[in-house]
Amino acid sequence: MPYEILLLGIAVLIAIGILLHHPSKTLGIPSLLIFMGVGLALGNGEFNFVYDNLAVTSTVGAVALNIIVFVGGINTSTNSIKLAYKEGGVLSTLGVLFTTLILAALLYPLTEWSIVICLLFAAIVSSTDAAAVFSILESKKLKLKEKTDTVLEFESATNDPVALVMVVILTGIALAPEKAISGWEIGQTLLIQIGAGVIIAYLVGKLAVYLLNTIHLEEYGLIPVFVLASFIIAAYSSELAGGNILIASYVVGVVIGNGIKRGREVNKHFFNSVSWLAQSLMFIILGLQIFPQTLFSVFFLSLIPAVLLMFVARPLAVQLCYLPFRKASWRKRLFISSIGLKGATPIVFALIPAAAGVEGAIDLVHMVFFIVLFSILLQGSAIEPLANKLKLNDKDS
């Protein structure tokens, strides 16, 4: 296909999604569903065009996710981190691990999957989605008491790396089940991923801040371009060094977003636009990749893990994470345990084993699609009523 037609098609799809964004926001429908719906409607044979390329979809999704996490870091103030890092940090690490183990243990006797596939599937859907959380909190204009919204935002912005590491490790085990992997190897991998990601991103971010604050660029438009280059250097050099690219993306975003003194507003507006472009591309290409006619074969099979995740695994994992935080009210614990919003991230993670060739992984992609859909429709719509019911909405005060 000529690249002109490809670019034209992508531009048309993005334009349609953007035009539908305002009415969808008025109705309280997340942008994820709009852009993904555009891809689903237009890309799978309905207009004599079929897109089916798992490798490209996985790559585009991964790059877009890196950008979204980076922009989330830029928009995260150090004050918010100081307020939420204890509770949010436990939720984004142990919470993901507990959710994975609990859901896998529940699924194993109910399905014909091996324990590795159960763990892999559970890891894919274990993390909450930053784009979905930010989008719904913003569209509902919710400000929650007890720093509940800050904790949710911090958790959703920082829990993807742990889930990604588990998905990558479990994909490797699923592809070579005969190869024994020790707990020491897994621990070593996690240490390298986190250590290299944090250290390299922090150093690159600090250097970028120093240069921007020392060399006063006369053209403000060059500041976000330099920041974009710094992000790419930090993220992909961390990955080459064995670090986790999502951790690196978030850390460099926080360091630069809170450190630069000139052009902060220009930088923020520029990257919010870049984030929207990344989300649009990611959601549309995910919609193009998923074939509606094959979805319904796993619809009923998806109901069981969706119910177990929303009503058992996530709530139990959150309650376990909150055991050390005795001052947190039961209202806050109940709200956070009930709101584990999923978005495009689990679908991107599901594409990793599918693109790697894990047997039956394409069915996992379709099941994850429904779990995301159920999460957005049920948990997304429940945020405001539940906040009001639990008297956590600041408007009630």
Side-chain angles (χ1 to χ4, degrees):
M1 177 185 295
Y3 76 91
E4 295 93 343
I5 295 177
L6 182 62
L7 289 175
L8 180 62
I10 292 173
V12 168
L13 292 177
I14 291 175
I16 293 171
I18 290 172
L19 292 173
L20 291 172
H21 172 66
H22 182 71
S24 72
K25 193 173 180 181
T26 304
L27 295 171
I29 302 172
S31 57
L32 178 151
L33 290 182
I34 298 300
F35 286 108
M36 191 173 289
V38 169
L40 279 167
L42 301 178
N44 293 303
E46 289 79 0
F47 295 88
N48 295 321
F49 168 65
V50 177
Y51 170 84
D52 185 15
N53 193 319
L54 283 171
V56 172
T57 303
S58 182
T59 300
V60 171
V63 172
L65 188 58
N66 297 337
I67 294 171
I68 293 166
V69 170
F70 170 67
V71 177
I74 283 180
N75 292 325
T76 302
S77 67
T78 50
N79 289 332
S80 296
I81 293 175
K82 289 175 183 176
L83 289 173
Y85 79 94
K86 290 182 181 178
E87 294 176 31
V90 172
L91 287 170
S92 65
T93 51
L94 292 178
V96 171
L97 180 61
F98 290 156
T99 302
T100 300
L101 294 176
I102 294 168
L103 183 58
L106 293 170
L107 289 176
Y108 184 64
L110 298 175
T111 65
E112 297 179 353
W113 295 341
S114 67
I115 188 63
V116 173
I117 297 300
C118 288
L119 285 166
L120 176 58
F121 181 81
I124 287 168
V125 297
S126 62
S127 64
T128 57
D129 187 81
V133 170
F134 293 152
S135 173
I136 290 181
L137 287 177
E138 180 188 356
S139 65
K140 302 287 185 183
K141 299 190 182 331
L142 281 179
K143 189 68 181 173
L144 303 176
K145 298 175 184 177
E146 301 183 43
K147 309 178 187 71
T148 306
D149 49 346
T150 307
V151 172
L152 279 171
E153 289 174 353
F154 184 85
E155 178 204 1
S156 64
T158 57
N159 63 3
D160 290 335
V162 177
L164 177 60
V165 170
M166 290 196 296
V167 169
V168 171
I169 290 173
L170 289 165
T171 297
I173 296 174
L175 288 171
E178 70 284 349
K179 182 182 177 182
I181 297 180
S182 67
W184 167 250
E185 287 178 304
I186 294 174
Q188 195 175 33
T189 301
L190 282 171
L191 186 63
I192 293 171
Q193 289 254 321
I194 295 170
V198 170
I199 292 169
I200 294 174
Y202 180 81
L203 293 175
V204 172
K206 280 293 185 183
L207 178 60
V209 167
Y210 172 77
L211 292 173
L212 283 173
N213 290 340
T214 304
I215 304 169
H216 296 283
L217 297 172
E218 293 183 6
E219 176 54 60
Y220 269 62
L222 292 175
I223 293 174
V225 177
F226 181 82
V227 171
L228 179 61
S230 301
F231 152 63
I232 294 171
I233 292 169
Y236 290 94
S237 61
S238 296
E239 187 177 45
L240 287 173
N244 185 281
I245 194 168
L246 292 178
I247 290 178
S249 299
Y250 183 73
V251 169
V252 74
V254 170
V255 172
I256 294 176
N258 288 277
I260 60 173
K261 297 175 181 177
R262 295 177 69 250
R264 183 171 290 183
E265 285 302 310
V266 172
N267 195 60
K268 184 177 179 180
H269 289 308
F270 174 83
F271 281 105
N272 283 340
S273 299
V274 171
S275 178
W276 270 111
L277 176 61
Q279 289 184 57
S280 304
L281 285 172
M282 178 170 67
F283 296 154
I284 287 171
I285 199 168
L286 288 175
L288 291 172
Q289 181 64 61
I290 295 170
F291 290 80
Q293 56 268 34
T294 61
L295 281 174
F296 296 103
S297 62
V298 297
F299 175 79
F300 291 106
L301 191 59
S302 307
L303 291 174
I304 295 174
V307 169
L308 292 175
L309 176 62
M310 287 189 286
F311 297 106
V312 183
R314 164 76 180 181
L316 186 54
V318 170
Q319 296 303 324
L320 288 172
C321 288
Y322 264 95
L323 289 177
F325 304 105
R326 299 183 183 275
K327 293 183 179 179
S329 71
W330 68 268
R331 291 182 176 87
K332 181 178 183 178
R333 298 181 192 209
L334 179 59
F335 185 85
I336 291 177
S337 66
S338 303
I339 306 300
L341 280 170
K342 309 304 171 190
T345 306
I347 303 176
V348 174
F349 287 170
L351 290 169
I352 294 173
V358 173
E359 187 178 354
I362 195 64
D363 286 336
L364 299 186
V365 175
H366 295 144
M367 290 178 68
V368 169
F369 172 82
F370 279 118
I371 288 176
V372 169
L373 188 63
F374 298 147
S375 174
I376 291 171
L377 293 177
L378 296 178
Q379 293 177 307
S381 61
I383 284 186
E384 189 170 18
L386 186 59
N388 293 332
K389 186 72 174 176
L390 295 174
K391 298 180 181 179
L392 287 172
N393 194 341
D394 241 350
K395 291 180 181 179
D396 295 338
S397 58

